[in-house]
Amino acid sequence: MKEQKVSYLKFSVSGMTCASCSSHVRKALENTGGVRTAAVNLATEQAQIELDAPVPAETLFHSVKKAGYEIRLETFSFPVTGMTCAACVRHVEKALQKIPGVYSAGVNLNSNKALIRVFEGSIQPGDLALAVKRAGYQLDIRSAAERADDVDKTKASRRRMVQAWSFTLPIMIWMLPHLLFNRHWPNHLIFNLGMILLALPVLLIPGRETLRRGFRALFYGTSNMDTLIALGTTVSFLTGPLAFFIPVANYAAISAMILAFHLTGRFLEESAKGRASQAIRALLDLTPKTARVRREGSVIEIPVELLETGDCMVVRPGEKIPTDGRIISGESTIDESLVTGESQPVYKTTGQTTLGSTINLDGFLEIEVTRTGKNTFLAQVIRLIESCQGSKVPVQALADRITAWFVPGILGLAGLTALSWIFIPGVMNSLLETGQFLPWVLTAGGRLTLAVNSVVAVLVIACPCALGLATPTALMVGSGLGARAGIIFRSGTAIQQLRSVKTVVFDKTGTLTLGRPVLTDIIPLGLSNERLLQLAGSLEQGSTHPIARAITDYCRQEKIDLLPFIKFKNFIGQGLEAEIDGQLVRVGSPNFVLPKDQTVSEMAGPTDNLEGEGKTVVLISVAGEVVGLLGLADQEKPEARETIAELRRMAIQTVMMTGDHRRTAEIIGTRLGIEHIISEVLPAGKVEEIKRLQEKFGPLAFVGDGINDAAAISQAEVGLSMGTGTDIAIEASDVTLVRGDLSTIPAAIKLSRATLNKIKQNLFWAFFYNLLMIPLAFSGWLHPLLAEAAMALSSVTVVANANLLQRQKF
């Protein structure tokens, strides 16, 4: 009996704190089908399993997750070479997904990159490269620095195109006497030899890579777009030598023309793809190469890669800030437009955070490094954009299934075409004759010549490229446009789901509002405004409450001198008390400042008015006598009202969810124009409210601060996080609005709709093209040259259509 093959897999597990935890993880793994044994090390937080049958990584992941723990994942992103069509993408993805420990693998034909998520510690890049090599392609696991000297793809494709046409144009000129006067100049023998000798360099020099990739795919038991071109051109070229021995037309010249058209299409594709990926290249180009740091009392210039957390960077006016940090000295306005999309320069001073690659406009700054390398905000943004561009949208599922069988199907159809001309030539001739009204239809010639004509046309007309480029090109353009506007999509699925959203639910505090109270009203009673603020601000110095900070910040702005105090007391949730100049001063809520059942007639009206506007009222008393009141409010963001109005114009319903009392919530919601208001919701109750809203309104988006609203963001079909890019983990949601600007929400929805529309248009065109052209080629109605030109045009059309997104305004 043959011994069963056993394999091992080692990976990291998070969430374990004791021996009981490791036991739970071990049992969960051993109860998974295909796992023979499992061992879990609590100290190293690693698990090792012995497999007696292949087990999908996703199955292992969910087994551990159900036990309450999590297998840690790490992400690799590497260029893939040798891909030319959607079939290639499928082959590479399948090769990677077969590797034990690979959780997911997505390949982007447009950027020629593979985004691979694996169990942390289970796989080395070399293992991935070997699997891809066995599939007939190359995974470039070198560092970015090692790849820096690689030839630019657009330049290389242009060079190959020029080389091909250098030989093909003389062929076409030489063929003119034959096409116009049916004369082989100077004679038939030299003409045939000339066609062969001029076509051969096209196949061997600029066409060598296409032929190599095509036949290598066959060697590995697969097929792709290059396989079709390689077979078509090879069959065409071989008719040249064979024409000296058997009655068949010399199609050697046609092989050169097919490759010339094909390489021209490749060049146009690369050029268009380059334009589609310019957003992410622009972000990569932002990072400064060097930084000036203070070391041992002097300022030196070092490569940005050598920066360490805690270093003191020195940034002069007009220079880029090398990496993320915190200002420790100086003040300046900073241009963040290239990173966050914020058009207006932002004023920053000591203690505030800065983003790497932004521009210091007019101040001298010393900045402490807080994040470097892959942990910087810009690196996170690039990582998310690449993740989105490497992902797929659900609408692409049908195209993927068709692509898996497309090239083998075309090879089968080419074989059927040849057999049809051999066994049922009468039927094929009848099909051919019905197309005689088309000037390019070839009806003259022997059976073998007509068979070659149809077979080559079938091979070169089919275009899996258009299917493969339909989605990634539009995703690349859409996600790039979003990044420039400060909108970061996590995946293609998020783009599709956001498009279908008909309701947007807003958390109030920090989302619709500034998230911090602001002093709005000063009403003194027998005192000046300055004296009232002086008393209140002096006591509030002793508190860290947000209301206290709002009052002291206002006093600081107005340059009001605060007074010393003694016998300070803090009554939590009520107010403050202390002696100033020998008198007892109280600051706080009306119930705290006023003795029980006592009212001040002069304050009653203003108090009711402020509370009616949803504001917080703070009373100030001296020696038991009320001397004034202050009104504070968490003000709406300036753009909130227009954002709600724009969503309503887009036929999207709006909901505000808050823990505030109903009266306060209704005042704010009505002022903003929000249709549905849900008040007095505790943080733990947000998920249930989201579920209830989903039952009532269908798919919805939830907009929160990305920190306190994680559960609600996860429950909604699309979660949007408001963030500044410095104090938020931008990977926490489906869509991150980098600037925290509400006006980008309608823009994000419009962009998602436009992007998905382009994807659908591209997929429709790709399906329509193939359904129309393949039958025409089979019937002999298409000349191989016309077929190849149409194939190149279809791919370019798809890419160009996606690039039209860049002309739209959102």
Side-chain angles (χ1 to χ4, degrees):
M1 184 176 175
K2 189 178 178 180
E3 188 177 346
Q4 194 169 22
K5 186 178 178 181
V6 176
S7 59
Y8 297 88
L9 185 63
K10 190 175 182 181
F11 48 84
S12 301
V13 180
S14 62
M16 298 187 298
T17 57
C18 63
S20 178
C21 297
S22 58
S23 176
H24 293 155
V25 173
R26 179 180 57 78
K27 288 178 181 177
L29 289 168
E30 288 179 340
N31 290 334
T32 304
V35 177
R36 178 181 288 185
T37 62
V40 181
N41 188 320
L42 176 63
T44 61
E45 293 188 323
Q46 287 195 325
Q48 181 168 312
I49 57 175
E50 184 181 336
L51 302 168
D52 52 21
V55 182
E58 195 171 348
T59 301
L60 294 169
F61 184 86
H62 289 299
S63 294
V64 173
K65 192 168 186 177
K66 284 179 182 177
Y69 307 90
E70 194 161 298
I71 297 176
R72 282 199 288 266
L73 301 175
E74 61 180 326
T75 303
F76 294 112
S77 179
F78 295 119
V80 183
T81 57
M83 297 191 304
T84 57
C85 65
C88 301
V89 170
R90 187 79 173 173
H91 297 152
V92 175
E93 286 179 343
K94 288 177 73 174
L96 289 168
Q97 287 163 357
K98 286 179 182 177
I99 305 172
V102 171
Y103 181 73
S104 66
V107 179
N108 187 320
L109 179 62
N110 219 23
S111 61
N112 291 309
K113 276 193 175 182
L115 192 74
I116 312 149
R117 299 179 75 199
V118 305
F119 290 174
E120 187 180 285
S122 67
I123 296 174
Q124 295 300 317
D127 302 325
L128 303 172
L130 183 61
V132 172
K133 185 177 181 180
R134 286 173 177 164
Y137 305 89
Q138 298 291 324
L139 190 73
D140 193 346
I141 59 174
R142 296 175 297 164
S143 68
E146 291 173 317
R147 292 194 296 266
D149 294 332
D150 286 356
V151 178
D152 180 80
K153 288 186 178 180
T154 304
K155 291 180 180 178
S157 62
R158 182 192 291 113
R159 185 182 66 249
R160 286 192 290 268
M161 178 188 70
V162 170
Q163 289 172 342
W165 283 110
S166 297
F167 292 95
T168 303
L169 282 175
I171 288 176
M172 296 174 75
I173 294 170
W174 198 348
M175 288 180 70
L176 284 175
H178 171 62
L179 295 172
L180 297 175
F181 309 110
N182 198 26
R183 181 186 174 191
H184 296 91
W185 183 85
N187 59 55
H188 196 275
L189 176 64
I190 294 176
F191 178 82
N192 279 345
L193 281 173
M195 294 299 104
I196 295 169
L197 293 175
L198 283 173
L200 188 60
V202 179
L203 274 67
L204 296 182
I205 302 173
R208 182 180 66 248
E209 278 300 304
T210 299
L211 298 180
R212 186 181 64 82
R213 287 194 298 258
F215 287 118
R216 187 176 64 182
L218 285 177
F219 177 79
Y220 284 104
T222 61
S223 53
N224 56 35
M225 182 69 208
D226 284 333
T227 304
L228 301 179
I229 298 298
L231 289 173
T233 53
T234 302
V235 169
S236 299
F237 180 79
L238 289 177
T239 60
L242 289 174
F244 291 106
F245 307 103
I246 61 174
V248 63
N250 183 349
Y251 269 37
I254 301 299
S255 69
M257 294 181 199
I258 288 173
L259 270 174
F261 276 114
H262 174 70
L263 294 172
T264 301
R266 285 285 180 221
F267 165 66
L268 294 174
E269 264 182 50
E270 290 295 343
S271 300
K273 283 158 63 176
R275 289 194 297 274
S277 61
Q278 63 186 1
I280 197 164
R281 282 205 313 274
L283 288 174
L284 288 168
D285 291 341
L286 288 178
T287 308
K289 301 296 184 286
T290 60
R292 298 171 71 248
V293 296
R294 206 177 283 283
R295 294 266 175 93
E296 298 177 356
S298 61
V299 176
I300 60 172
E301 190 167 309
I302 62 171
V304 75
E305 293 83 7
L306 299 182
L307 283 172
E308 297 178 1
T309 303
D311 276 343
C312 176
M313 299 183 293
V314 176
V315 186
R316 295 172 296 194
E319 292 182 339
K320 282 185 179 179
I321 298 173
T323 190
D324 296 358
R326 180 178 60 85
I327 298 174
I328 55 178
S329 175
E331 58 182 351
S332 180
T333 49
I334 295 174
D335 181 1
E336 299 182 340
S337 59
L338 293 175
V339 177
T340 69
E342 173 59 65
S343 58
Q344 296 297 319
V346 181
Y347 171 78
K348 297 202 173 183
T349 186
T350 304
Q352 292 185 289
T353 54
T354 59
L355 299 177
S357 304
T358 56
I359 302 171
N360 173 29
L361 293 179
D362 52 25
F364 184 86
L365 298 176
E366 292 192 359
I367 301 172
E368 180 187 357
V369 174
T370 57
R371 290 187 291 196
T372 61
K374 65 180 182 180
N375 298 317
T376 64
F377 166 70
L378 185 61
Q380 290 181 68
V381 168
I382 291 171
R383 193 159 58 244
L384 277 182
I385 296 173
E386 288 181 334
S387 175
C388 178
Q389 293 177 350
S391 66
K392 298 181 184 291
V393 292
V395 76
Q396 191 188 357
L398 177 62
D400 284 346
R401 286 196 293 271
I402 291 173
T403 299
W405 298 99
F406 189 87
V407 176
I410 294 301
L411 291 174
L413 183 62
L416 178 63
T417 304
L419 292 173
S420 298
W421 275 104
I422 294 171
F423 295 109
I424 51 171
V427 174
M428 298 304 291
N429 266 314
S430 298
L431 282 174
L432 195 61
E433 287 170 3
T434 58
Q436 287 185 89
F437 64 93
L438 297 172
W440 56 78
V441 172
L442 177 69
T443 55
R447 184 190 306 178
L448 187 56
T449 297
L450 296 174
V452 169
N453 184 76
S454 295
V455 168
V456 172
V458 167
L459 287 171
V460 301
I461 191 64
C463 190
C465 290
L467 282 170
L469 292 168
T471 297
T473 309
L475 273 182
M476 183 166 280
V477 176
S479 58
L481 288 172
R484 286 204 292 267
I487 303 165
I488 308 298
F489 294 102
R490 186 185 178 102
S491 67
T493 301
I495 291 177
Q496 179 164 335
Q497 288 179 330
L498 186 59
R499 175 188 180 273
S500 61
V501 159
K502 297 296 182 185
T503 305
V504 177
V505 182
F506 293 90
D507 174 56
K508 180 183 79 72
T509 305
T511 303
L512 289 170
T513 65
L514 295 172
R516 60 183 185 276
V518 176
L519 185 61
T520 57
D521 299 88
I522 305 166
I523 304 175
L525 187 61
L527 295 176
S528 66
N529 283 5
E530 185 176 345
R531 178 59 177 171
L532 183 66
L533 287 168
Q534 189 178 48
L535 292 171
S538 298
L539 260 66
E540 297 290 11
Q541 291 178 94
S543 173
T544 58
H545 192 279
I547 288 177
R549 283 201 298 270
I551 295 172
T552 53
D553 285 348
Y554 189 88
C555 291
R556 193 175 299 112
Q557 289 173 16
E558 296 299 314
K559 297 181 179 178
I560 295 173
D561 294 327
L562 301 181
L563 305 171
F565 53 80
I566 58 173
K567 298 181 181 179
F568 176 84
K569 291 181 182 178
N570 183 0
F571 297 85
I572 297 173
Q574 300 180 69
L576 309 171
E577 176 184 285
E579 283 189 16
I580 295 178
D581 297 333
Q583 291 184 306
L584 182 66
V585 179
R586 280 190 161 197
V587 178
S589 66
N591 290 336
F592 171 70
V593 173
L594 289 173
K596 207 168 188 180
D597 300 327
Q598 181 180 335
T599 60
V600 179
S601 57
E602 293 90 338
M603 292 289 105
T607 299
D608 290 341
N609 290 338
L610 292 175
E611 289 179 343
E613 294 173 10
K615 296 180 179 179
T616 300
V617 176
V618 174
L619 262 61
I620 301 97
S621 70
V622 178
E625 183 180 345
V626 175
V627 294
L629 63 82
L630 304 175
L632 297 97
D634 185 3
Q635 290 186 321
E636 298 94 5
K637 289 184 176 177
E639 72 277 11
R641 192 174 303 179
E642 179 54 34
T643 297
I644 301 300
E646 180 62 22
L647 289 172
R648 294 184 69 173
R649 285 192 288 269
M650 294 167 62
I652 294 174
Q653 298 190 80
T654 53
V655 180
M656 185 180 78
M657 190 180 294
T658 179
D660 289 351
H661 292 298
R662 182 158 190 81
R663 184 183 178 190
T664 302
E666 285 180 345
I667 291 167
I668 295 173
T670 302
R671 195 158 55 223
L672 294 176
I674 293 174
E675 297 161 275
H676 307 280
I677 299 163
I678 303 173
S679 59
E680 301 178 26
V681 180
L682 297 174
K686 287 184 178 180
V687 172
E688 289 304 316
E689 287 293 340
I690 291 292
K691 289 179 180 178
R692 187 179 64 80
L693 289 168
Q694 285 169 323
E695 291 175 3
K696 184 177 180 180
F697 298 120
L700 55 80
F702 181 86
V703 188
D705 60 16
I707 301 169
N708 301 320
D709 304 305
I713 285 174
S714 299
Q715 177 61 37
E717 278 73 15
V718 183
L720 294 92
S721 283
M722 309 293 290
T724 61
T726 56
D727 56 1
I728 180 173
I730 62 176
E731 280 122 345
S733 59
D734 301 303
V735 184
T736 299
L737 308 175
V738 176
R739 304 198 306 265
D741 187 343
L742 289 170
S743 65
T744 54
I745 295 173
I749 296 173
K750 290 176 184 177
L751 178 58
S752 69
R753 291 176 177 178
T755 301
L756 201 69
N757 285 341
K758 288 298 179 188
I759 290 172
K760 288 184 174 180
Q761 289 170 12
N762 283 348
L763 288 173
F764 174 80
W765 164 252
F767 283 127
F768 173 78
Y769 164 84
N770 284 296
L771 288 173
L772 175 67
M773 294 296 183
I774 292 172
L776 293 178
F778 174 78
S779 65
W781 285 24
L782 281 179
H783 191 280
L785 283 182
L786 186 63
E788 177 56 32
M791 188 278 290
L793 180 63
S794 69
S795 296
V796 174
T797 300
V798 163
V799 180
N801 184 49
N803 275 304
L804 289 176
L805 267 175
Q806 300 190 58
R807 297 185 180 181
Q808 293 182 231
K809 292 185 178 181
F810 302 100

